[in-house]
């Protein structure tokens, strides 16, 4: 009788799973660092006007985005078809813009409060009266740095 058994030829060794947790955590950290979280859902029609004299700003500046336009079809039954203002995920009236912007500004560090920018993403068919009222509200709270977000193109692209 022999104490040793002869190995069978052609048998594959089992796959080592010792490094599997390391690989899973490495992938988890990779996706956590490169994934961008969505700020808000757009509840308005937002066809931006075209401009040929545009400038791209640094992403380092704190920016609050204010959208204006007609609600999309999904929200028209609840909010009507008139032009509305959206900040974050809520519709606001013109008089509610100032408290929302002040709330955003109060959440910033002291040195960033003076340089924050209000970015206006306004649909090309929005009434200018609403935009004037919006700008007046921003002036009253001393939010004077405004940025109009547009698409690259010529001025003739804005003519219907």
């Amino acid at each position: 009788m022999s104490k040793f058994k002869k190995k069978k030829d052609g048998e594959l060794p089992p796959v080592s799973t010792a490094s599997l947790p390391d690989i899973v955590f490495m992938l988890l950290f990779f996706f956590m660092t490169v994934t961008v979280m969505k700020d808000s859902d757009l509840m308005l029609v937002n066809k931006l006007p075209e401009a040929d004299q545009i400038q791209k700003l640094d992403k380092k500046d704190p920016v609050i985005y204010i959208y204006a336009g007609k609600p999309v079809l999904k929200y028209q039954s609840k909010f009507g078809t008139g032009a509305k203002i959206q900040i974050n995920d809520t519709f606001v009236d013109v008089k509610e813009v100032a408290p929302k912007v002040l709330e955003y500004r109060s959440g910033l560090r002291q040195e960033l409060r003076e340089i924050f920018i209000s970015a206006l993403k306004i649909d090309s068919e929005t009434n200018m009266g609403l935009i004037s009222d919006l700008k007046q509200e921003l002036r009253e709270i001393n939010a004077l740095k405004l940025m109009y977000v547009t698409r690259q193109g010529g001025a003739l692209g804005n003519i219907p």
Side-chain angles (χ1 to χ4, degrees):
M1 282 182 129
S2 68
K3 288 186 171 182
F4 302 106
K5 290 185 182 178
K6 189 175 183 184
K7 266 190 167 178
K8 293 181 184 177
D9 290 335
E11 188 177 311
L12 293 173
V15 177
S16 173
T17 59
S19 64
L20 189 60
D22 294 336
I23 294 170
V24 169
F25 282 116
M26 191 169 36
L27 286 172
L28 177 70
F29 287 127
F30 172 75
F31 286 115
M32 283 174 54
T33 56
V34 298
T35 302
V36 176
M37 300 305 277
K38 195 173 181 182
D39 284 348
S40 61
D41 290 328
L42 191 59
M43 302 179 338
L44 301 169
V45 175
N46 199 262
K47 181 182 177 269
L48 298 173
E50 295 182 1
D52 56 0
Q53 302 284 324
I54 62 173
Q55 177 183 1
K56 189 168 183 155
L57 298 178
D58 293 334
K59 284 284 189 180
K60 298 173 187 169
D61 296 337
V63 177
I64 183 169
Y65 290 97
I66 301 171
Y67 301 92
K70 293 180 181 176
V72 293
L73 193 58
K74 178 173 144 180
Y75 297 103
Q76 284 183 359
S77 62
K78 187 175 182 181
F79 297 105
T81 57
K84 298 285 182 194
I85 298 172
Q86 177 186 347
I87 298 177
N88 296 331
D89 280 337
T90 57
F91 285 124
V92 295
D93 290 329
V94 176
K95 296 294 180 190
E96 297 171 346
V97 170
K100 290 279 190 182
V101 173
L102 288 174
E103 177 184 339
Y104 173 78
R105 185 166 48 181
S106 67
L108 296 173
R109 293 191 320 259
Q110 186 64 34
E111 62 269 10
L112 296 176
R113 288 183 186 170
E114 297 302 318
I115 63 169
F116 95 100
I117 299 171
S118 301
L120 303 179
K121 286 189 169 187
I122 299 173
D123 184 50
S124 59
E125 296 181 11
T126 302
N127 188 349
M128 193 60 196
L130 179 70
I131 299 168
S132 297
D133 293 344
L134 176 65
K135 286 172 36 178
Q136 186 64 36
E137 283 294 311
L138 292 172
R139 269 188 219 118
E140 288 176 7
I141 60 168
N142 204 23
L144 302 177
K145 291 187 180 185
L146 293 178
M147 171 178 65
Y148 289 97
V149 180
T150 63
R151 293 181 292 144
Q152 176 74 35
L156 297 178
N158 295 323
I159 299 173

